Amino acid sequence: MKVLLLESIHPVAAEACRRAGFEVDVRPGSLSEDELLDELPGVSLLGIRSNTKITPRVLEAGKDLLALGCFCIGTNQVDLADAADRGVAVFNAPFSNTRSVVELVLGEIVALARRLPEKTQRMHEGIWDKSARGSHEIRGRTLGIVGYGNVGTQLSNVAEAVGLRVIFYDTADRLAHGNARRVGSLDQLLAEADVVSLHVDGRPGNAGLFGADQFATMKPGAAFINASRGMVVDDTALRDNILSGHLSGAAIDVFPIEPKAQGDAFDSPLRGLDNVILTPHVGGSTQEAQEEIGHFVANKLLSFLTTGGTALSVNLPQVVLPQPAGAFRMGYLHVNVPGVLAGINRLLADTGVNVVGQSLSTRGEQGYVVTDTDSVLTDATLSGLLQSPHTIWLRSWRP
């Protein structure tokens, strides 16, 4: 089997796949849709980060593709529904780099409050600008967190520890950590916060979430941070509010259009502005985070191939499996219609096979059942399932 890893994924992922007996091809950058069409035939596992787009056309070309690993938090670069329809399991790393993102954001909060970007720039230009104008402590100021998930909650805890007051807004019902206070609307948060930090996901409904109206609602003199998704923010409207003085500064790590590879040209309406920090999508790019992501996602992919487990898959039914308990394991991904499980068990009973363990889960249009039996099932026994119009795939393992 062949593994293709793109976008400079940490070497521990390639090492894990090689130890498992795979042929591994590692590439430093992303591939375009047309390039993927040429590369995917024969590839069983594909590893990407945020720049490679997995469209239905790409998935159609990847007829040998069994699973896809997003070595990052987000999965909006993948057509998850089409991948599920084709039986391609998708895994990501929802927790591995949260601390790295939080530490970057906290550092940016301090840097913006002290106006460090423009101070250091003037020093490099040979100008000694020793002034406290516009410089503040962060202690006692209010941080507004938009999106109170894995990153938002950890930021909440760390921010409180350094003396910030925390308020948050989320469309989901989230439990407040520490002394953080939930507010009832985004407008309420924007009007109260001295710093607004975005930590929302890449679902289509979040596109354009922050534009001219939201910036106008922010407290005069507030700072703005986006380390979530580039498509969420109108960067031109942000530039206007920086230039007008309505906002005191901004820190942006993600952009609507990002260069594909290391060293490519970068452009943005935010370049050249005082007290604006621009970083090249490195919120989760620490050595510690990338190594942990490499371990986590590679292990999920390999576990799926060797045991059939789909725990934490973002698009297929999730089945958490024990170690195989019998002589044979069968994984059956099928269209989610009534009677499939009964049909499997009837088939096994008719052939005198004893079930020693069984797990079933459904998710949307798919169902997934894993069955351990005390004897090996023959191809003739399995042929009925394979020929069913409800079959997406059937795989088997011998412990």
Side-chain angles (χ1 to χ4, degrees):
M1 286 186 172
K2 183 178 178 181
V3 179
L4 177 60
L5 301 177
L6 306 178
E7 302 186 65
S8 299
I9 290 167
H10 196 279
V12 297
E15 292 166 11
C17 292
R18 290 191 181 103
R19 284 197 304 270
F22 292 96
E23 174 191 345
V24 182
D25 183 3
V26 177
R27 309 287 182 89
S30 60
L31 295 180
S32 68
E33 184 179 61
D34 287 339
E35 289 169 333
L36 283 168
L37 299 185
D38 294 332
E39 296 289 344
L40 276 184
V43 172
S44 300
L45 296 180
L46 174 63
I48 64 172
R49 293 175 71 186
S50 56
N51 268 352
T52 303
K53 310 303 180 187
I54 307 301
T55 63
R57 187 166 171 246
V58 169
L59 290 164
E60 173 64 25
K63 295 187 183 300
D64 301 303
L65 193 62
L66 303 177
L68 169 67
C70 297
F71 287 73
C72 52
I73 293 178
T75 57
N76 56 295
Q77 69 275 42
V78 179
D79 190 315
L80 296 177
D82 193 72
D85 289 343
R86 299 174 189 275
V88 178
V90 180
F91 298 91
N92 69 333
F95 316 112
S96 301
N97 66 357
T98 54
R99 180 68 183 199
S100 295
V101 177
V102 165
E103 288 188 3
L104 176 68
V105 171
L106 186 65
E108 290 172 337
I109 292 170
V110 175
L112 292 174
R114 298 296 297 271
R115 303 193 71 87
L116 297 185
E118 62 194 75
K119 295 291 186 186
T120 188
Q121 180 61 34
R122 287 173 186 168
M123 291 291 283
H124 280 290
E125 293 169 353
I127 301 171
W128 185 263
D129 181 18
K130 187 178 186 299
S131 168
R133 181 182 58 84
S135 182
H136 300 277
E137 293 183 354
I138 64 170
R139 178 181 54 178
R141 294 171 76 80
T142 299
L143 168 64
I145 300 174
V146 181
Y148 206 64
N150 296 325
V151 177
T153 52
Q154 190 167 157
L155 175 61
S156 177
N157 295 331
V158 175
E160 277 200 350
V162 296
L164 283 159
R165 291 193 294 263
V166 177
I167 58 177
F168 70 91
Y169 172 73
D170 198 304
T171 55
D173 191 11
R174 306 283 191 182
L175 176 67
H177 286 213
N179 295 314
R181 175 170 58 89
R182 183 189 187 108
V183 296
S185 68
L186 178 59
D187 284 353
Q188 182 183 349
L189 180 141
L190 300 180
E192 291 186 32
D194 298 298
V195 182
V196 172
S197 189
L198 296 192
H199 299 285
V200 299
D201 61 28
R203 71 188 67 180
N206 284 334
L209 174 68
F210 245 80
D213 291 345
Q214 287 71 38
F215 288 122
T217 306
M218 286 178 64
K219 187 176 179 180
F224 178 78
I225 297 174
N226 183 20
S228 60
R229 299 290 185 273
M231 56 82 168
V232 172
V233 176
D234 181 343
D235 285 346
T236 300
L238 175 56
R239 174 185 173 86
D240 293 342
N241 280 270
I242 296 288
L243 289 175
S244 72
H246 178 62
L247 300 184
S248 64
I252 307 298
D253 186 51
V254 289
F255 303 88
I257 300 174
E258 297 183 356
K260 287 180 60 177
Q262 183 82 0
D264 285 357
F266 164 74
D267 196 16
S268 167
L270 301 173
R271 287 176 52 193
L273 299 182
D274 280 349
N275 211 36
V276 173
I277 302 170
L278 302 179
T279 49
H281 204 150
V282 294
S285 296
T286 60
Q287 289 298 310
E288 294 84 356
Q290 291 307 303
E291 182 173 356
E292 176 59 29
I293 289 171
H295 279 299
F296 185 90
V297 179
N299 287 340
K300 286 296 176 187
L301 292 171
L302 294 173
S303 175
F304 171 68
L305 288 192
T306 57
T307 72
T310 53
L312 295 184
S313 169
V314 297
N315 69 326
L316 293 187
Q318 295 193 26
V319 175
V320 180
L321 297 173
Q323 290 298 314
F328 184 84
R329 169 170 286 178
M330 176 184 69
Y332 183 55
L333 185 70
H334 57 87
V335 179
N336 185 14
V337 295
V340 171
L341 183 61
I344 291 173
N345 290 335
R346 186 165 52 249
L347 171 68
L348 298 178
D350 290 344
T351 55
V353 173
N354 186 44
V355 174
V356 296
Q358 195 168 54
S359 300
L360 168 69
S361 179
T362 61
R363 183 177 193 165
E365 300 299 317
Q366 290 81 35
Y368 183 46
V369 58
V370 178
T371 304
D372 291 340
T373 61
D374 63 357
S375 58
V376 175
L377 302 183
T378 66
D379 290 343
T381 301
L382 297 175
S383 63
L385 285 176
L386 285 169
Q387 294 169 11
S388 167
H390 305 310
T391 299
I392 299 175
W393 51 250
L394 187 152
R395 295 175 192 147
S396 61
W397 300 267
R398 298 190 186 188

